[in-house]
Amino acid sequence: MTQDREKIRCDACPVMCYIAPGQTGACDRYANDRGRIVRCDPVTILSKTLEQGGRIVPFAGPAWDGEVIRPADAFVTGIGAGTTYPDYKPAPFIVSTQVEGADMVTVVTEAIFSYCGVKVKIDTDRFLGPEGAVVRAEGEPVGHVTTAEYGSQMLSLGGVHHLTGGTKPEGRVTCASMLALCNGEAVTLTIDGGSTVIVQAGRAPVVDGKEEHRMRVGCGSATIGMFAAQWQGLVDEVVVVDDHITGVVSEHQAGKVLGWQPTGIKVKGHKSTPGRYFRVSEPGLGWGGTRITDPLEILGPWDGKRGARAGLTLLMVSTTGEEYAYYVLDEALQPVRQPLPENLQATVRLIDENCEPSLCTVLFMGGAGGSLRAGVTKNPVRLTRSVQGRETRLTAGGAPCYVWPGGGITFMVDVTRLPRGAFGYVPTPALVAPLEFTLPRDAYVALGGHEGAIRSLDEIAATGGEYTVAGKLETWPGGEA
């Protein structure tokens, strides 16, 4: 850091802001406090013994009491720790701990990620947009629709090409949208050729102004398999309408095993195997993720030679149980809608009961590569091999990470498992995420780790860090990191 008149240059990220006294840099994360660059947020320490809430513990000051928190019950996270940029120096905190008698080291830092994104899982059957369609925020492209999963629509947002490979507004909006999602805030996204959806981690999605409530119990075929026995003896035919696989109980193997009689029904669509039909409709916001609002649209003429008869009863239901209709064939073998009998109402409620709440899941995904690893060890490739070999445990803000196999340290973490406000940004643009690497002390030294920078929690409290001036005690979720 060098002084320019009254301003101080901050070297905590590549932007290298000159910060006036009492002001913060462009990232709002670092400030000029009477001629010294300080981290605006305290480093977060997770405590097993803290029951609720949190409190600030000043570092390097008389208010610190070593008994406020026992090191054995504490885990120092990367939240508020500061970065290693320009990465030739050791990580901000390299903490020695005793875990069940073992001498461990946790390397704590905030990492700057240009190569990062978020994967969004939206529990809904509603059609959000065609696969590969561009996803926009504030009109700027920030990602795309990816392959749908069982009962959920999936979005892939961010990534280096949106952050730095497009226009400046695209990069700015992409960074802001990912930051909001990772910090648990709601973001409105529009999908080319599809819907507008409000996404917030841990909350129900809102699709075209309508809040979703239920995730489907399964595809139409699976629903038949699960509930065929519940319908036997109560109704002559059941059709479960689904955008993916529509099920017909009398033709389905479950119905055959139960002795279901043919009904002469005809379903418009591509027959896969008995009782399973693809493409009965285009995707949409109607029944079972189709575009239809009248389920009879998917039925052709009934065949009297194959079991159709006057008085035959038919239940049509969606995969969430939210839409249903009951019909009786008249003398012309035309289905006539009737009120749903009471004994069938319980079966429709059972489908609804077995549908889990519709939620949005946000996974932050980043590559912990580049020179970040130099803050951990003088030989960065050894850290990669240690993480891949599971000798080193990677966490983000204390939350467990899934590390992808293959080269590098590519990981994902559920943002709802981190303390609130754990993510930051730099205007390059890039996200800043907390990381912790934990491994046995002797293994850390063998990696070529910065042994001279290892400190105990008491030492950190007594001296602070390069930028950080306080610690914040938070409850340790689930009692473990």
Side-chain angles (χ1 to χ4, degrees):
M1 290 169 285
T2 59
Q3 196 160 355
D4 179 21
R5 297 177 183 172
E6 291 187 333
K7 295 181 179 179
I8 294 179
R9 189 174 189 179
C10 173
D11 65 357
C13 87
V15 176
M16 308 288 282
C17 295
Y18 283 95
I19 306 176
Q23 300 298 312
T24 61
C27 66
D28 294 325
R29 298 167 60 246
Y30 293 89
N32 180 345
D33 180 22
R34 292 169 292 184
R36 179 189 175 201
I37 295 294
V38 297
R39 182 69 171 85
C40 298
D41 301 309
V43 62
T44 296
I45 304 169
L46 300 179
S47 168
K48 292 179 180 177
T49 57
L50 197 64
E51 292 185 0
Q52 60 183 4
R55 58 181 181 271
I56 302 297
V57 181
F59 283 174
W64 171 262
D65 178 355
E67 295 303 314
V68 167
I69 182 170
R70 296 192 309 138
D73 295 326
F75 183 82
V76 181
T77 76
I79 303 168
T83 67
T84 61
Y85 193 81
D87 298 310
Y88 64 84
K89 56 192 178 185
F93 298 102
I94 303 178
V95 189
S96 65
T97 55
Q98 289 285 325
V99 179
E100 297 180 357
D103 196 3
M104 306 293 287
V105 166
T106 299
V107 182
V108 175
T109 188
E110 287 180 302
I112 300 173
F113 289 96
S114 294
Y115 285 83
C116 70
V118 295
K119 308 303 179 190
V120 182
K121 174 176 174 281
I122 302 173
D123 299 334
T124 180
D125 261 355
R126 310 298 179 195
F127 177 69
L128 299 184
E131 187 176 311
V134 172
V135 178
R136 300 180 185 273
E138 300 178 25
E140 296 293 336
V142 298
H144 65 273
V145 178
T146 188
T147 51
E149 302 301 340
Y150 203 70
S152 304
Q153 310 299 314
M154 308 291 288
L155 307 181
S156 181
L157 308 180
V160 68
H161 297 298
H162 286 292
L163 281 169
T164 62
T167 65
K168 286 186 178 180
E170 178 182 344
R172 176 186 59 79
V173 172
T174 298
C175 185
S177 299
M178 288 199 300
L179 177 64
L181 287 170
C182 289
N183 281 334
E185 300 171 16
V187 173
T188 299
L189 303 170
T190 58
I191 299 171
D192 288 1
S195 300
T196 296
V197 56
I198 300 175
V199 174
Q200 186 174 8
R203 299 287 184 90
V206 179
V207 181
D208 291 334
K210 179 182 177 183
E211 182 175 310
E212 294 293 290
H213 298 287
R214 289 287 181 267
M215 178 182 181
R216 68 176 182 169
V217 67
C219 69
S221 173
T223 307
I224 292 287
M226 285 186 280
F227 302 114
Q230 308 288 333
W231 293 313
Q232 190 175 30
L234 301 181
V235 64
D236 296 315
E237 183 66 277
V238 180
V239 178
V240 182
V241 182
D242 179 28
D243 173 41
H244 304 122
I245 307 174
T246 289
V248 180
V249 71
S250 67
E251 299 176 359
H252 195 280
Q253 184 63 17
K256 296 296 186 185
V257 171
L258 291 170
W260 219 284
Q261 296 301 307
T263 64
I265 192 170
K266 179 177 176 57
V267 176
K268 300 174 183 177
H270 294 258
K271 188 172 184 178
S272 168
T273 56
R276 302 170 78 246
Y277 292 86
F278 299 157
R279 296 176 61 186
V280 298
S281 167
E282 294 298 317
L285 301 179
W287 282 51
T290 69
R291 66 164 180 78
I292 64 173
T293 55
D294 179 3
L296 295 180
E297 288 183 33
I298 71 171
L299 299 185
W302 292 73
D303 188 349
K305 295 180 180 180
R306 298 180 57 247
R309 54 180 170 77
L312 185 144
T313 56
L314 166 69
L315 170 65
M316 300 190 77
V317 64
S318 70
T319 49
T320 60
E322 293 175 284
E323 297 93 3
Y324 55 86
Y326 178 74
Y327 304 89
V328 178
L329 296 193
D330 63 13
E331 294 296 332
L333 303 185
Q334 295 297 312
V336 178
R337 188 160 183 173
Q338 302 287 342
L340 183 69
E342 187 175 345
N343 58 6
L344 283 177
Q345 292 177 15
T347 69
V348 172
R349 287 195 299 269
L350 188 61
I351 295 176
D352 179 83
E353 181 183 337
N354 277 270
C355 293
E356 296 178 70
S358 179
L359 295 176
C360 297
T361 302
V362 176
L363 299 180
F364 172 79
M365 184 170 177
S371 50
L372 154 71
R373 295 169 296 165
V376 182
T377 170
K378 304 179 186 74
N379 194 340
V381 73
R382 291 185 180 177
L383 176 63
T384 302
R385 292 168 182 167
S386 181
V387 170
Q388 288 288 357
R390 300 186 180 181
E391 180 181 47
T392 295
R393 186 187 186 203
L394 177 65
T395 52
C401 298
Y402 171 78
V403 179
W404 284 63
I409 305 173
T410 304
F411 70 95
M412 296 191 303
V413 63
D414 178 355
V415 302
T416 63
R417 301 194 66 176
L418 281 75
R420 194 83 171 188
F423 292 83
Y425 80 102
V426 293
T428 50
L431 285 196
V432 178
L435 284 185
E436 305 91 32
F437 300 89
T438 303
L439 70 165
R441 182 171 183 145
D442 57 355
Y444 178 66
V445 174
L447 287 181
H450 301 287
E451 186 176 12
I454 299 175
R455 296 183 291 165
S456 68
L457 182 58
D458 284 343
E459 289 175 312
I460 289 170
T463 60
E466 182 178 5
Y467 304 117
T468 306
V469 294
K472 182 180 180 182
L473 300 182
E474 291 271 356
T475 304
W476 204 341
E480 56 182 78

